[in-house]
Amino acid sequence: MKKITKILLSEKEMPRQWYNIQADMPNKPLPPLHPVTREPIGPDALAAVFPMELIKQEVSQERYIDIPEEVVDLYRMYRPSPLYRAYNLEKKLGTKSRIYYKYEGGNYSGSHKANTAIAQAYYNKQEGIKRITTETGAGQWGSAMSFACQHFGLELLVFMVRVSYDSKPGRKIMMNSYNAKVVPSPSTMTEAGRKVLEADPDSPGSLGIAISEAMEIAIQDPYTKYSLGSVLNHVILHQTIIGQEALLQMEKADDYPDVVIGCFGGGSNFSGIAFPFLREKLLNGKNVRLLTVEPASCPKLTKGKFMYDFGDSAGMTPLLPMYTLGHNFIPEKIHAGGLRYHGAGVLVSQLLKDGFIEAKAKLQRECFEAGVLFSRTEGILPAPESNYAIAAALDEARKSDIEGVPRTILFNLSGHGHMDISAYEKYFEGNLPDHEMTEAEVEEAIAKIKLPD
Amino acid sequence: MKKITKILLSEKEMPRQWYNIQADMPNKPLPPLHPVTREPIGPDALAAVFPMELIKQEVSQERYIDIPEEVVDLYRMYRPSPLYRAYNLEKKLGTKSRIYYKYEGGNYSGSHKANTAIAQAYYNKQEGIKRITTETGAGQWGSAMSFACQHFGLELLVFMVRVSYDSKPGRKIMMNSYNAKVVPSPSTMTEAGRKVLEADPDSPGSLGIAISEAMEIAIQDPYTKYSLGSVLNHVILHQTIIGQEALLQMEKADDYPDVVIGCFGGGSNFSGIAFPFLREKLLNGKNVRLLTVEPASCPKLTKGKFMYDFGDSAGMTPLLPMYTLGHNFIPEKIHAGGLRYHGAGVLVSQLLKDGFIEAKAKLQRECFEAGVLFSRTEGILPAPESNYAIAAALDEARKSDIEGVPRTILFNLSGHGHMDISAYEKYFEGNLPDHEMTEAEVEEAIAKIKLPD
């Protein structure tokens, strides 16, 4: 093992293809269904919402998909991203394990979301689209999309989940600085939003509601499309650049992970780092565990049900086969706004069901504690979402030390917490509540799921 | 010219020595004087405030000073920092010039301040010091020092200029997250602070006042030392790692700057990038212009007087030969808090006087306008301080196009603006005032300077 803190790749070494896990899944995911006929829907059914090239990627079975030169050009601003060996954290823990993290917070958006934002804006522009609508939770995805749209000359309208809109004004202004329009969701701009506000004028909002609002606006105009920041296959495809790079970097470090960890909202940062390692396992027999970490207050992977459900609150998406807490479920107002989503992407759901992925849930306070320890050793103040991955990495290191088996642990540090300072303030004041959803609460939530007859 | 966006160096290529301009200055700076005797003071007079190794660096005439291995180790977390070619900005401007920027905002502190914070914390630790006191304006320096002290096991007490403390609570919490104690200045903890509050209970504070407070605490205890984030020779020495890297990176880009630009508060980010290029000019005849940019509301370089003055408001420092607006001058509350300092470092002052450096002053709004243009093209939201360098780089590009002479422009993007979002909000709302200090106001300020008889 060479002693290097920061493992870099040159621009030349940046991978020029995304990896599509669909090519290698032992069990292919079940098809999306039309909500009324329950028949599998074809790509055309999505054409009102997404540009054709992204729809093709959504269903592609090709193992590798070339990254367009214009996307590579913008990736060059911040990619390849660094992979760090966390020497100072290891020392503080006194662990015999080696801990690495891939840092995706170093780009303009402050998170991994830039990787798909750039690609999505590019494909929309190519197909003559003028305007994009989207949702954002914590604001990372909205920031990512704002600059990407600005770069390619597209207008952007962002529905920002109200609880984040109110608690993180900085993200809104950041999106404005990149020239986007930002509206708190639920809003009165859409029928979906008005319906929620009628039932609860103080609704904190959810990603599911914001998605409904953004889709509703998009389908009204042929030059407007909708864009999603996680969950879908094409989004996850674009994020695999993370794992593609990490594979090369682990090789440079002359090491290989025993476990790869990512926090979990819809699945994109986890899948982005994990799927290329899963490929190496499936095709080349390289052993590795893949571990997702979700909030105990939104435990779709650990306690949710695998079933067909909507991806949004108003039921505008096709029915998707996924682990879910119900498309109308509104998660507790935890500070990891990016993890407040009721369902899991189709690919991750199938792979979890088939035993290729592990999932665990953690409480908010322990994750902030891990994040503060990380900031005091490694120097980077993490996004609240990323704190879940850090906490799980600490668990793995401790477990390894107890077992007396040093391991190599790799996690995705999906973003920085510069815009989440108020959450850290609450943590330091001791005002960060913990909430764990019980089995009974989950059952109740799932019992409320209503699908069309 | 190869087409590369991001010019990186490997850890191996990171320079292992700082560059000391004192070795090569045609006119050495005048000595610091004892405020009462007006005799040159020796290194020993500073021993109550600084550790001996930093005092040695303050007066060293050696051209190169080795960077200790423990400092290199921590530099490795984020250094070498990237140098970017601003293709998208160039395209937007339609300029024929080439614009490069060295980005120092990618580290834990969000600015170049980490470069000297790590070194200062290290040398203090080496000499058995237990606690550091310091000042901070915008909070970048305080954040930098917080993590550095945490890493080396030192306590830190930060006096934060009140106007920044109130307008930028995020920076305070960031310092807390790195385990530092933060107090708004002027405070009631010190005689210097109490004196200011007596005269003006609503004093917005200034860097000069905060320095007095921090020094007052430090000299009361042999295990406590004071640490300064700019101005002094040893601080500027540590920052030369920026220019040392930039020289290697410009070589990799197969290009060389016609002009090197930095914003100006006390001199450290400007000197850090500029002095290694000045060495190449002095020793190897490589032509280059060096341009500092200060706020028109605090124009010590363009309108101030070259004279002996104090570095702090209460008159605790030795008398230093510098361009100054008077040590009791309190600059307008502009949003570039890091530039609100009454004086200029001794080295820059001498070099400006001798014609090796140019200075210009700019108004706040134009600089924010430049910063927003930069963020929309290059993706990075700059610190308000850095916006001054960007605005001057745009001036240089426009001038070059008018003259029909394409030039190579390099500026130091000293930090990101994630913690300065409220300033951008004011800019977007049209609530950012411009203030230019007139010659008469400057004369009045200088007439108020009172030195001991």
Side-chain angles (χ1 to χ4, degrees):
Chain A
M1 231 81 49
K2 301 168 206 160
K3 160 126 188 165
I4 317 179
T5 310
K6 191 159 81 281
I7 300 135
L8 297 174
L9 301 174
S10 69
E11 286 192 4
K12 259 193 213 153
E13 291 171 299
M14 183 165 75
R16 291 299 197 271
Q17 295 181 312
W18 293 303
Y19 167 61
N20 180 12
I21 191 84
Q22 294 189 68
D24 298 318
M25 287 170 75
N27 294 319
K28 304 293 171 193
L30 300 172
L33 301 183
H34 188 280
V36 178
T37 66
R38 295 290 204 281
E39 292 292 319
I41 59 157
D44 286 353
L46 297 169
V49 183
F50 297 118
M52 199 39 71
E53 206 52 37
L54 292 178
I55 296 173
K56 279 190 203 160
Q57 292 180 357
E58 190 66 20
V59 297
S60 170
Q61 300 296 312
E62 293 294 318
R63 181 169 291 137
Y64 295 105
I65 293 176
D66 289 342
I67 307 176
E69 206 42 53
E70 289 87 343
V71 173
V72 169
D73 255 1
L74 218 49
Y75 275 1
R76 277 205 191 97
M77 288 176 59
Y78 65 96
R79 302 213 74 85
S81 73
L83 186 137
Y84 290 91
R85 168 84 184 269
Y87 282 110
N88 291 320
L89 176 63
E90 289 173 19
K91 200 172 144 194
K92 182 80 183 173
L93 294 173
T95 184
K96 294 214 161 74
S97 286
R98 294 180 296 279
I99 304 177
Y100 297 85
Y101 56 97
K102 179 80 168 159
Y103 184 40
E104 289 292 315
N107 67 68
Y108 69 88
S109 75
S111 84
H112 66 292
K113 296 288 185 184
N115 302 325
T116 183
I118 292 167
Q120 291 193 47
Y122 167 76
Y123 288 116
N124 274 285
K125 180 68 181 180
Q126 283 298 101
E127 298 186 23
I129 299 308
K130 305 288 181 210
R131 189 169 72 143
I132 304 275
T133 63
T134 195
E135 79 292 334
T136 199
Q140 293 159 336
W141 165 242
S143 306
M145 204 59 195
S146 298
F147 175 70
C149 286
Q150 165 70 13
H151 178 81
F152 288 112
L154 298 162
E155 281 179 47
L156 180 68
L157 173 63
V158 182
F159 289 90
M160 185 172 188
V161 176
R162 183 177 291 272
V163 58
S164 295
Y165 186 93
D166 290 341
S167 67
K168 299 175 67 177
R171 277 287 175 189
K172 174 192 169 287
I173 299 157
M174 191 178 203
M175 290 184 257
N176 293 155
S177 85
Y178 292 138
N179 221 5
K181 191 176 168 192
V182 186
V183 175
S185 165
S187 79
T188 53
M189 274 181 81
T190 66
E191 205 182 308
R194 287 190 296 268
K195 230 168 153 177
V196 174
L197 288 173
E198 264 166 43
D200 177 8
D202 297 325
S203 168
S206 71
L207 281 168
I209 297 167
I211 293 170
S212 297
E213 293 207 90
M215 283 182 74
E216 186 180 323
I217 299 285
I219 55 176
Q220 291 165 16
D221 168 23
Y223 292 103
T224 300
K225 297 278 181 197
Y226 164 70
S227 176
L228 185 64
S230 187
V231 180
L232 296 177
N233 305 350
H234 67 271
V235 180
I236 280 162
L237 173 78
H238 304 150
Q239 294 295 356
T240 57
I241 183 97
I242 303 172
Q244 294 283 79
E245 287 180 4
L247 270 167
L248 299 174
Q249 287 165 313
M250 289 305 299
E251 197 181 322
K252 284 201 180 194
D254 201 8
D255 207 347
Y256 200 81
D258 295 298
V259 58
V260 177
I261 303 169
C263 64
F264 200 91
S268 83
N269 96 82
F270 165 74
S271 307
I273 194 164
F275 283 0
F277 287 93
L278 181 53
R279 177 192 66 217
E280 295 307 304
K281 183 176 186 168
L282 293 170
L283 302 190
N284 301 321
K286 298 194 83 165
N287 204 29
V288 70
R289 287 170 52 223
L290 306 174
L291 175 60
T292 68
V293 198
E294 63 184 4
S297 58
C298 190
K300 61 232 175 195
L301 295 176
T302 50
K303 292 183 177 162
K305 187 174 173 187
F306 184 83
M307 61 178 283
Y308 272 101
D309 194 8
F310 288 113
D312 71 314
S313 120
M316 301 181 70
T317 69
L319 288 173
L320 301 165
M322 57 177 176
Y323 282 92
T324 181
L325 297 166
H327 62 276
N328 275 316
F329 174 69
I330 295 185
E332 282 290 306
K333 294 186 245 173
I334 57 163
H335 287 279
L339 309 185
R340 293 180 69 246
Y341 183 65
H342 69 277
V346 165
L347 300 177
V348 166
S349 291
Q350 186 65 45
L351 289 164
L352 179 68
K353 190 161 173 285
D354 291 342
F356 292 104
I357 291 173
E358 299 167 33
K360 75 191 290 183
K362 293 198 79 77
L363 289 166
Q364 175 162 253
R365 270 206 300 272
E366 185 194 336
C367 295
F368 271 81
E369 191 185 335
V372 169
L373 176 69
F374 183 84
S375 83
R376 287 181 184 178
T377 49
E378 293 296 308
I380 300 170
L381 192 74
E385 290 82 1
S386 311
N387 286 344
Y388 288 78
I390 297 170
L394 300 187
D395 289 346
E396 291 291 323
R398 289 181 193 121
K399 194 180 69 178
S400 295
D401 290 326
I402 290 169
E403 293 171 0
V405 185
R407 295 200 177 89
T408 298
I409 299 161
L410 168 63
F411 70 88
N412 195 3
L413 187 69
S414 58
H416 66 61
H418 301 165
M419 300 292 179
D420 305 272
I421 280 290
S422 64
Y424 281 93
E425 186 171 24
K426 289 209 174 67
Y427 169 74
F428 287 122
E429 292 168 351
N431 286 330
L432 215 55
D434 267 343
H435 176 76
E436 182 169 6
M437 218 179 159
T438 63
E439 298 283 353
E441 285 168 331
V442 170
E443 263 176 50
E444 196 186 334
I446 288 171
K448 280 188 193 154
I449 299 177
K450 272 195 199 132
L451 301 181
D453 294 325
Chain B
M1 230 82 51
K2 302 169 207 158
K3 160 128 189 163
I4 316 179
T5 310
K6 191 157 82 290
I7 300 134
L8 298 173
L9 300 173
S10 70
E11 285 191 5
K12 258 193 214 156
E13 291 171 300
M14 183 165 77
R16 291 299 196 271
Q17 295 182 312
W18 294 303
Y19 168 61
N20 181 11
I21 190 85
Q22 294 189 68
D24 299 317
M25 286 170 75
N27 294 319
K28 305 292 172 195
L30 301 172
L33 300 183
H34 188 281
V36 177
T37 67
R38 294 291 204 279
E39 292 292 319
I41 59 157
D44 287 351
L46 297 169
V49 184
F50 297 117
M52 200 39 71
E53 206 52 39
L54 291 177
I55 297 173
K56 279 190 204 159
Q57 292 179 359
E58 191 65 20
V59 298
S60 169
Q61 300 296 311
E62 293 296 316
R63 182 170 290 136
Y64 295 104
I65 292 177
D66 289 342
I67 307 175
E69 207 43 51
E70 289 87 342
V71 173
V72 169
D73 255 0
L74 218 49
Y75 275 1
R76 277 204 190 99
M77 289 177 57
Y78 65 96
R79 301 215 72 86
S81 73
L83 186 137
Y84 291 91
R85 170 85 184 268
Y87 283 110
N88 290 321
L89 177 62
E90 289 173 19
K91 202 172 142 193
K92 182 78 184 177
L93 293 173
T95 183
K96 292 213 163 72
S97 286
R98 292 180 297 278
I99 304 177
Y100 296 85
Y101 56 97
K102 179 80 167 158
Y103 183 42
E104 289 292 315
N107 66 67
Y108 71 88
S109 75
S111 84
H112 66 291
K113 297 287 185 185
N115 301 326
T116 184
I118 292 167
Q120 291 191 47
Y122 166 77
Y123 287 116
N124 274 286
K125 179 68 180 180
Q126 283 298 99
E127 297 186 22
I129 299 309
K130 304 289 180 208
R131 188 169 71 143
I132 305 275
T133 62
T134 195
E135 79 293 333
T136 199
Q140 291 159 339
W141 165 243
S143 307
M145 203 60 194
S146 297
F147 175 70
C149 286
Q150 165 70 13
H151 178 81
F152 288 111
L154 298 162
E155 279 179 49
L156 180 68
L157 173 62
V158 182
F159 289 90
M160 185 172 189
V161 176
R162 183 177 291 273
V163 57
S164 293
Y165 186 93
D166 290 341
S167 66
K168 297 175 68 176
R171 276 287 175 191
K172 173 192 170 287
I173 298 158
M174 192 177 202
M175 289 183 258
N176 293 155
S177 86
Y178 293 137
N179 221 4
K181 189 175 169 194
V182 186
V183 174
S185 165
S187 79
T188 53
M189 274 181 80
T190 67
E191 204 182 310
R194 287 189 295 268
K195 227 167 156 178
V196 174
L197 288 173
E198 264 166 44
D200 176 9
D202 296 325
S203 168
S206 71
L207 281 167
I209 297 167
I211 292 170
S212 297
E213 293 206 271
M215 283 181 74
E216 187 181 322
I217 298 286
I219 55 176
Q220 292 166 15
D221 169 23
Y223 292 101
T224 300
K225 297 278 180 194
Y226 164 71
S227 177
L228 184 63
S230 188
V231 180
L232 295 177
N233 304 350
H234 67 270
V235 181
I236 281 161
L237 173 77
H238 303 152
Q239 294 295 357
T240 58
I241 183 96
I242 303 172
Q244 293 283 80
E245 287 181 3
L247 270 167
L248 298 175
Q249 288 164 312
M250 290 304 299
E251 197 182 321
K252 283 201 180 195
D254 200 10
D255 207 347
Y256 200 83
D258 296 298
V259 58
V260 177
I261 303 169
C263 64
F264 199 90
S268 81
N269 98 82
F270 165 75
S271 307
I273 195 166
F275 284 0
F277 287 94
L278 181 53
R279 176 193 64 217
E280 295 306 304
K281 182 176 185 169
L282 293 170
L283 301 190
N284 301 319
K286 298 194 84 165
N287 205 29
V288 70
R289 287 170 52 222
L290 305 174
L291 175 60
T292 69
V293 197
E294 63 184 3
S297 57
C298 190
K300 61 233 175 196
L301 295 176
T302 51
K303 292 182 178 165
K305 188 174 173 186
F306 184 85
M307 62 179 283
Y308 272 100
D309 195 7
F310 288 112
D312 72 314
S313 120
M316 301 181 69
T317 69
L319 288 172
L320 301 166
M322 58 175 173
Y323 283 93
T324 181
L325 297 166
H327 61 276
N328 276 315
F329 174 69
I330 295 185
E332 283 288 307
K333 295 187 245 175
I334 57 163
H335 287 278
L339 310 184
R340 292 181 69 245
Y341 183 66
H342 68 277
V346 165
L347 301 177
V348 166
S349 291
Q350 187 64 47
L351 289 164
L352 179 69
K353 190 162 173 284
D354 291 343
F356 292 104
I357 291 173
E358 302 168 33
K360 74 191 289 182
K362 293 197 77 77
L363 291 165
Q364 174 164 250
R365 268 206 300 274
E366 185 194 337
C367 295
F368 271 80
E369 190 185 335
V372 169
L373 176 69
F374 183 83
S375 83
R376 289 183 182 175
T377 48
E378 293 297 308
I380 299 169
L381 192 74
E385 290 82 2
S386 311
N387 286 343
Y388 288 78
I390 297 170
L394 300 186
D395 289 348
E396 290 292 323
R398 289 182 192 120
K399 194 180 69 178
S400 294
D401 290 326
I402 290 167
E403 294 171 1
V405 185
R407 295 200 178 89
T408 298
I409 299 162
L410 168 64
F411 69 88
N412 196 4
L413 188 68
S414 57
H416 66 61
H418 301 165
M419 301 291 178
D420 305 273
I421 279 290
S422 63
Y424 281 93
E425 185 171 26
K426 290 211 174 67
Y427 170 74
F428 286 123
E429 292 167 351
N431 286 332
L432 215 57
D434 268 342
H435 176 76
E436 183 168 7
M437 218 179 159
T438 62
E439 299 282 353
E441 285 168 332
V442 170
E443 264 176 49
E444 197 186 334
I446 288 169
K448 280 187 193 155
I449 299 176
K450 273 196 199 130
L451 301 181
D453 294 328

